[in-house]
Amino acid sequence: MIIEIDNLKKSFKEVKAVDDVSFRVKEGELFSFLGVNGAGKSTTINIISGILKKDGGNVKVCGYDLDTQTDAIKSKIGIVFQNSVLDKKLTVYENLKYRANLYGIFGNEFKTRLEEISDLLELKEILKRPLEKLSGGQKRRIDIARALVHNPELLILDEPTTGLDPKTRITVWRVIDKLRKENGLTVFLTTHYMEEAAESDYVVIIDSGKIVSEGTPHNLKNEYASDFVKFYNHREEAERYFGEKGYKIKHERDFIQVELKSTSEISGFFKEKPLLFDDFEVLKGNMDNVFLKVTGKDLSGV
């Protein structure tokens, strides 16, 4: 395990920001930590990275104990924070050089590492430009380069693609996927984009400082997310048929949506009312449905 957390606690006066949280992150996996703002995600990240002191519990990262080996942990992790920590007055090159120097990376070693990261994140054309002259997407790529400059074993991404244009989001995930496949990099992710969480190996949902559910995306969707069928014709007949059976129905402008227990039910409907199914669409439950069902809250747009 690259992260082992047991009974972690952190309070700010009367507020229990992290309330007896325990979880594991396996080496090489993409792990998603989901929750609305204030749920305890950033507090947990700040404890793992040694920025905040915990009130209780045990934390091990990359085999090191947080209480006694904080410096060793810091050398093994890279963090992309929600808000950039780059120096806007410096050039891209200077930002990356000074960051590398903090990890004892100088001279030819830095030159080699800079070439690798520049190729990976497409930075060569902007290395000499000041940060303040770059676009939001370019700055985000530099944030990621900064986190990777010392070749960490664990990359922590706190809302890494929020506000980015689609092209930059694709670039970011292309790089992350490449590093996971080729280097075995472990990624600890918080995100508002449920399609990103759906690609994770494991998901933990936290609410008001407590873990409320966890599992693989597949298992979570099977447990919490409903499947749906939309009918675009025969709406009145379909509504009557499913209403008599007690199904939950949602009305939209040009269709009705029926909530199912499982898409396997549709085969039975075909046999009973085949003419209803000349214009329909089946929708599988997704991670948005899971999050809403588990927390009662909508993560999108938070």
Side-chain angles (χ1 to χ4, degrees), residues 96-165:
L96 296 179
K97 180 182 178 182
Y98 295 149
R99 183 65 179 176
N101 292 169
L102 291 175
Y103 290 93
I105 302 172
F106 301 95
N108 288 333
E109 185 181 1
F110 169 68
K111 182 179 179 181
T112 299
R113 187 62 184 144
L114 181 64
E115 288 180 358
E116 293 171 348
I117 292 177
S118 295
D119 288 340
L120 192 65
L121 287 159
E122 302 172 4
L123 305 179
K124 288 187 176 180
E125 294 183 0
I126 60 173
L127 283 175
K128 295 181 180 180
R129 295 177 61 184
L131 258 292
E132 61 185 359
K133 301 295 184 181
L134 301 182
S135 68
Q138 289 171 328
K139 290 176 184 176
R140 207 50 169 162
R141 279 154 49 202
I142 307 307
D143 281 320
I144 294 171
R146 172 190 176 276
L148 293 173
V149 73
H150 62 296
N151 201 20
E153 294 180 18
L154 170 65
L155 180 63
I156 298 175
L157 302 172
D158 195 7
E159 306 288 351
T161 58
T162 298
L164 296 185
D165 61 273

Side-chain angles (χ1 to χ4, degrees), residues 80-108:
V80 178
F81 295 99
Q82 287 188 43
N83 299 314
S84 179
V85 293
L86 298 167
D87 191 321
K88 296 179 182 179
K89 297 297 182 182
L90 298 180
T91 65
V92 172
Y93 176 86
E94 289 167 339
N95 267 281
L96 296 179
K97 180 182 178 182
Y98 295 149
R99 183 65 179 176
N101 292 169
L102 291 175
Y103 290 93
I105 302 172
F106 301 95
N108 288 333

Side-chain angles (χ1 to χ4, degrees), residues 268-283:
F269 304 150
F270 265 115
K271 293 177 182 178
E272 291 184 24
K273 291 284 186 178
L275 294 180
L276 288 183
F277 291 85
D278 65 341
D279 193 0
F280 73 99
E281 179 182 8
V282 177
L283 304 175

Side-chain angles (χ1 to χ4, degrees), residues 17-37:
V18 180
D19 190 5
D20 201 28
V21 163
S22 301
F23 61 85
R24 301 285 188 273
V25 179
K26 294 180 180 180
E27 185 175 352
E29 77 177 353
L30 172 56
F31 177 98
S32 284
F33 202 44
L34 304 183
V36 298
N37 289 339

